[in-house]
Amino acid sequence: MNESRLSHLLPVLALGFAGQIGQVVMLREFLMVFHGNELSLGIILGAWTVWVGVGSRIAGRVREKTDEALAMSVIAAAVLVVFPATIIAIRGLRAVFPVQPGAYLSVVDMLVSTALVTAPVGLLLGAQFVMLARAWRRGDRAIDTAAADKTYVAEALGNVVGGLLFALLLVHLLGSFHAVVGVGLVMAAIGLLSSRARGRPLLWAAVLVGIASVPVLSLLDSWAYESQWRTLTPQHELVAVRHSRYGAVSVLRREDQYSFFQSGNLLFSLAGPEAPDPALEEQDAVVSAHLAMAQHPDPRRVLLMGGGMRGLLREVVRYPVERVDYVELDPVVTSTAVEYTGEQTRLALERDEVRLVHGDGRLFLRGVDRHYDVVFVDAPDPSTAVLNRFYTVEFFREAAAALSDGGVLVITAGSTGDARGVEIANRNATIFHTLKRVFAHVLVVGERNLHYFATNAAGTISEDATLLIARYHASGVPTPGFSPRQFDILLEPGPLRRINWILRHHGRSDDAHLWAPDTGPLFAPAVADQEADEHLLPPVRERFFINADFRPIGYVHTLAYWNQLTRAAHAGALRGVLRVRPWWIVPPVALSLVLAVVIPLVRREPSRSPVGRYPLLFAVFTTGLSTMALQIALLFGFQSVYGFVYEMVGLIVAGFMAGLALGAWCVHRFVRERADPRLLMGVQLAISICAALIAIALPHTAGIESPAIRFAFFLLVTFAAGFLNGVDFPIAAALCLKTGARAERATGTVYGLELFGACTGSLIAGIVVAPVLGVVAACLLAAIANGTAFLVLLTGRVMHGRRQA
């Protein structure tokens, strides 16, 4: 490779490298501020892509006489400053919005904040792409879009390197500030190698400032974390921050209580070693443990999924158990919590009958070779798709298979006193009805916290306080922090029968998810009588009240509840999402086809154009929309199967970008006449078929036994989607050049419009389609969009051909 070509290639690789790592780091930072809420994935990616698109469009319109070497130097230097400034802005976001400490930011807050915060870096990276393409074209002394194709391929390869390096190495070694300053230095240093004299002083200054800042980045990171937590929980003191593959673990202290957060989500709170009475501090855990253990007549084998460090394990091992398998996802959480927990919990971890397992609870269940009398799931409320995995029909089936005859599944969720608000009733009823799809008997106990007990054995779980007290005494458990009289309080017949009546009846009409549940009879029947008469009720509306891995409606209801509780003025946004119907896609499809007929009749196209401008731009837009919708669907699907994307998101995106690079390179290398509308039509049809096949295959991935094969499937389909996206770009750019645009303007138009489409697809698929209609529906959205693009191109080509004739 000659020196001239290398001087063009290296800055483009650096752009892709820096952009990819910067995007993933910011994604992680936003997820922490947004409490790990996956609805924000679509918003974040959408905001990122739209600003990159705007930057490329602006740069595409810059005059030909502009000194691109100086412009590229300015951008590279600015990126080195803007990247860390953006992280500071993200961590300070909560201070901008009028939300209470601990409250969730609403969807509207997310849209506004991501749009503002990602603008500077997105504009810079988008403009740099077009400037680099122009410089490469001038170096080649060409007038077509071949240099843009090379830039597109090289940037994608830089994305691949950045994604792989982040997933396999940087996520374990570097904090956010070190990562973005590092990639900014790489971008500026490579700029020095290829820039002319006018840009070098600025780049040298940026590199020197970046190197000088490295020793203080750890201090900056600590200051930014402390500022962030002061706005989230001002009454708590930040004690420690530990980084793990699953997200940053933060420890906060208030008097004698320590609270543990991961990616902004509260995991649990516990009494510290200095607390005078840990049992009093952890009273919720004490009550939950004894209420759960008493629901089985003789619990000997127990599976505890989470909650052990907050006191559950300590109480469970008071019983004459033979074995307790305690599963925690993150070893960093456990090792950190051990430093702050009381002596009794540490002693419980050391007992012979206790086995501590680090890993995903669902993967553990699938591989377990024993059965349990009690499976106790102590997970936070399903406020994210990751947490929602422990409230789905698929998980409940896995738990049922791991129960012994007469075994009991116990799961908890927060609630309100009367449980009759629309949002909280929807969430609680969804958990109840989903359990009933798997278990013959379900009992709900509690008010502020609901305990769901489920079994397939008659006579095991009970609402009879006298029976539970007898079981408790028979176990001979010494419990200084618990009185058996609490069974009478928790199982008071009136409130208990009422909550079971409300949850059993709610969710059985077409619009039940939009209205508060009925108050019910003044004196609700006994739970056993309600259960006996349940077959007389209308069927449950599955789309809104059965929670599934690939249709995580439970977490949408949970977010709606938190929005109503903390940001009531914005609660209507999620209510509107719940009104979405599948047929709503018909009007935009019909309008797109009508415009393909009408526009050629009223607008004259350039004579050199082999297809109308509208069909071309529509195809570019839908390609971006569809491939991003597929990425969102695959991210949701990956989380449903594996439970996390925090570490692997870089690897997933790297797979997509590798396919994109190969697709664009194949067209550049092997297709001589790229300005052929038939090629673009073929690509649209191929994307549509690919998306439809993914929609068929994706639900079956959870049933694949081999983790390696499952992972290979996700990488393969992600790579395929990227490949087709990559094939599309050089063909569309060549066709756009035929419409009369100069090379950079054609490049900026196609690149920008594709990213606008990606933004639209990200928002629609991430906020609406995947959570409410399901992951399969997001794939079908992509199939329909590109199928429509194929028909629009076909119609436009016929109409344009007639016009030319």
Side-chain angles (χ1 to χ4, degrees):
M1 183 178 293
N2 60 47
E3 183 178 346
S4 175
R5 180 171 297 181
L6 193 64
S7 69
H8 294 303
L9 176 62
L10 287 178
V12 181
L13 288 171
L15 173 66
F17 177 80
Q20 184 60 56
I21 292 179
Q23 183 190 64
V24 176
V25 169
M26 289 180 194
L27 191 69
R28 294 168 56 193
E29 291 289 336
F30 272 121
L31 282 174
M32 184 169 175
V33 175
F34 299 151
H35 297 272
N37 174 4
E38 288 88 355
L39 286 184
S40 67
L41 282 175
I43 296 172
I44 299 163
L45 293 174
W48 178 275
T49 53
V50 77
W51 285 121
V52 173
V54 170
S56 68
R57 288 282 287 164
I58 293 173
R61 292 175 176 270
V62 171
R63 291 182 304 171
E64 188 77 16
K65 295 181 180 180
T66 302
D67 185 344
E68 69 267 7
L70 179 60
M72 289 187 295
S73 298
V74 171
I75 292 172
V79 165
L80 188 56
V81 177
V82 169
F83 262 145
T86 302
I87 293 176
I88 294 173
I90 293 171
R91 293 189 185 178
L93 274 178
R94 291 185 57 87
V96 178
F97 296 97
V99 291
Q100 296 297 318
Y104 283 28
L105 292 175
S106 70
V107 172
V108 176
D109 296 332
M110 294 177 194
L111 284 166
V112 172
S113 59
T114 53
L116 293 176
V117 171
T118 59
V121 68
L123 289 169
L124 290 172
L125 296 179
Q128 188 78 326
F129 175 86
V130 174
M131 290 296 176
L132 288 167
R134 174 189 287 181
W136 205 328
R137 179 180 64 81
R138 286 182 173 177
D140 289 349
R141 298 179 181 179
I143 59 172
D144 60 10
T145 57
D149 301 346
K150 298 174 187 176
T151 308
Y152 194 71
V153 172
E155 187 201 27
L157 289 175
N159 289 149
V160 173
V161 174
L164 290 174
L165 187 63
F166 180 85
L168 301 177
L169 186 64
L170 296 185
V171 71
H172 305 287
L173 299 178
L174 299 181
S176 296
F177 284 100
H178 289 85
V180 297
V181 169
V183 297
L185 281 170
V186 169
M187 191 170 169
I190 289 178
L192 276 173
L193 298 177
S194 57
S195 66
R196 292 202 295 268
R198 288 187 63 191
R200 286 189 174 183
L202 185 60
L203 286 173
W204 270 117
V207 169
L208 292 174
V209 170
I211 294 173
S213 70
V214 171
V216 301
L217 291 180
S218 296
L219 294 175
L220 180 62
D221 190 54
S222 299
W223 170 82
Y225 268 128
E226 289 174 3
S227 300
Q228 182 178 31
W229 284 107
R230 275 197 299 270
T231 62
L232 180 62
T233 55
Q235 295 179 331
H236 288 73
E237 172 194 359
L238 180 64
V239 176
V241 176
R242 308 281 168 80
H243 294 280
S244 89
R245 59 186 296 199
Y246 302 108
V249 178
S250 303
V251 185
L252 290 99
R253 176 181 174 177
R254 183 180 181 185
E255 297 180 355
D256 297 327
Q257 186 184 68
Y258 290 86
S259 297
F260 293 77
F261 293 78
Q262 189 164 52
S263 297
N265 272 314
L266 176 64
L267 298 177
F268 54 83
S269 296
L270 54 83
E274 65 273 17
D277 189 355
L280 183 61
E281 282 288 328
E282 299 166 3
Q283 188 62 31
D284 282 346
V286 173
V287 172
S288 296
H290 294 293
L291 184 60
M293 296 296 281
Q295 290 294 338
H296 191 281
D298 186 25
R300 296 287 178 172
R301 298 175 303 277
V302 178
L303 172 60
L304 182 59
M305 301 175 70
M309 303 307 296
R310 76 179 184 99
L312 288 177
L313 180 65
R314 181 191 66 218
E315 298 302 315
V316 166
V317 297
R318 296 183 190 276
Y319 287 77
V321 292
E322 298 172 359
R323 182 183 181 105
V324 178
D325 287 339
Y326 169 34
V327 181
E328 278 285 1
L329 175 65
D330 193 347
V332 174
V333 171
T334 308
S335 61
T336 304
V338 166
E339 299 177 23
Y340 301 97
T341 191
E343 183 182 6
Q344 290 184 356
T345 297
R346 288 197 293 269
L347 291 174
L349 284 168
E350 296 171 0
R351 292 181 57 151
D352 293 339
E353 61 266 38
V354 174
R355 184 173 73 131
L356 174 61
V357 179
H358 287 119
D360 179 68
R362 288 192 60 171
L363 297 180
F364 175 83
L365 267 184
R366 290 174 189 164
V368 75
D369 58 356
R370 64 188 62 86
H371 292 86
Y372 300 95
D373 300 315
V374 176
V375 173
F376 197 142
V377 182
D378 189 73
D381 287 358
S383 58
T384 70
V386 170
L387 295 172
N388 189 71
R389 298 169 65 246
F390 295 96
Y391 296 83
T392 64
V393 67
E394 292 86 356
F395 170 69
F396 294 153
R397 288 180 184 136
E398 293 163 359
L403 288 172
S404 59
D405 293 339
V408 179
L409 172 66
V410 183
I411 194 162
T412 62
S415 186
T416 58
D418 63 2
R420 288 199 62 252
V422 178
E423 292 81 9
I424 193 62
N426 286 344
R427 202 283 308 279
N428 292 341
T430 296
I431 297 175
F432 181 89
H433 293 311
T434 306
L435 281 166
K436 285 292 289 182
R437 282 294 171 95
V438 178
F439 295 95
H441 310 283
V442 177
L443 174 68
V444 185
V445 177
E447 288 186 346
R448 185 173 60 87
N449 288 308
L450 292 184
H451 298 78
Y452 296 79
F453 304 106
T455 184
N456 282 316
T460 301
I461 59 177
S462 176
E463 62 180 294
D464 184 352
T466 303
L467 174 61
L468 299 186
I469 290 172
R471 289 179 179 175
Y472 171 79
H473 284 306
S475 67
V477 179
T479 52
F482 180 79
S483 168
R485 300 300 302 171
Q486 289 180 274
F487 286 118
D488 289 314
I489 298 171
L490 291 167
L491 300 171
E492 186 179 346
L496 183 143
R497 295 174 180 180
R498 179 174 172 273
I499 188 65
N500 280 270
W501 192 96
I502 289 174
L503 298 188
R504 195 180 307 275
H505 285 73
H506 187 53
R508 297 180 182 272
S509 62
D510 290 337
D511 59 351
H513 60 289
L514 302 176
W515 305 100
D518 294 336
T519 57
L522 184 60
F523 299 102
V527 174
D529 295 333
Q530 294 181 34
E531 197 171 77
D533 293 338
E534 188 172 343
H535 69 282
L536 302 175
L537 299 175
V540 174
R541 293 302 180 257
E542 182 166 331
R543 183 150 66 94
F544 294 106
F545 290 95
I546 299 297
N547 197 25
D549 283 346
F550 289 93
R551 194 182 60 252
I553 192 66
Y555 111 87
V556 178
H557 290 321
T558 303
L559 290 176
Y561 163 60
W562 281 109
N563 269 199
Q564 177 61 36
L565 199 64
T566 62
R567 293 285 276 163
H570 295 172
L574 281 176
R575 291 199 199 106
V577 168
L578 290 172
R579 294 178 182 272
V580 170
R581 296 293 183 270
W583 63 264
W584 286 11
I585 197 172
V586 174
V589 168
L591 178 61
S592 302
L593 294 172
V594 168
L595 290 175
V597 175
V598 172
I599 289 178
L601 298 177
V602 299
R603 182 176 179 179
R604 181 177 297 277
E605 298 285 351
S607 58
R608 293 192 306 126
S609 174
V611 68
R613 185 174 177 82
Y614 164 72
L616 169 63
L617 298 183
F618 183 83
V620 172
F621 178 85
T622 54
T623 298
L625 184 152
S626 299
T627 50
M628 182 57 78
L630 284 175
Q631 281 197 73
I632 294 292
L634 291 168
L635 283 171
F636 269 77
F638 188 88
Q639 275 190 317
S640 296
V641 174
Y642 285 94
F644 63 95
V645 296
Y646 186 83
E647 176 192 18
M648 303 305 291
V649 66
L651 193 57
I652 295 170
V653 175
F656 178 86
M657 300 309 297
L660 186 144
L662 181 61
W665 179 81
C666 286
V667 173
H668 177 76
R669 179 69 175 81
F670 299 112
V671 179
R672 180 169 299 178
E673 180 50 54
R674 295 189 288 276
D676 187 343
R678 292 172 299 179
L679 292 176
L680 191 61
M681 291 166 60
V683 173
Q684 305 308 306
L685 190 59
I687 295 175
S688 181
I689 294 172
C690 178
L693 292 175
I694 293 173
I696 295 170
L698 196 56
H700 301 288
T701 55
I704 299 174
E705 292 295 330
S706 169
I709 294 177
R710 283 200 305 268
F711 188 72
F713 168 81
F714 279 103
L715 278 184
L716 178 63
V717 295
T718 303
F719 179 87
F723 180 85
L724 293 172
N725 195 163
V727 168
D728 184 89
F729 178 84
I731 297 171
L735 284 167
C736 189
L737 190 65
K738 291 288 187 180
T739 64
R742 58 184 173 85
E744 277 69 51
R745 187 163 183 176
T747 301
T749 296
V750 173
Y751 188 69
L753 194 58
E754 184 181 281
L755 291 172
F756 293 151
C759 172
T760 305
S762 181
L763 294 175
I764 294 174
I767 299 176
V768 180
V769 180
V772 177
L773 302 180
V775 173
V776 171
C779 298
L780 293 177
L781 169 67
I784 293 170
N786 277 98
T788 304
F790 170 78
L791 294 176
V792 167
L793 281 167
L794 180 62
T795 304
R797 186 163 181 252
V798 171
M799 296 296 295
H800 190 65
R802 290 180 177 177
R803 182 77 177 263
Q804 295 297 329

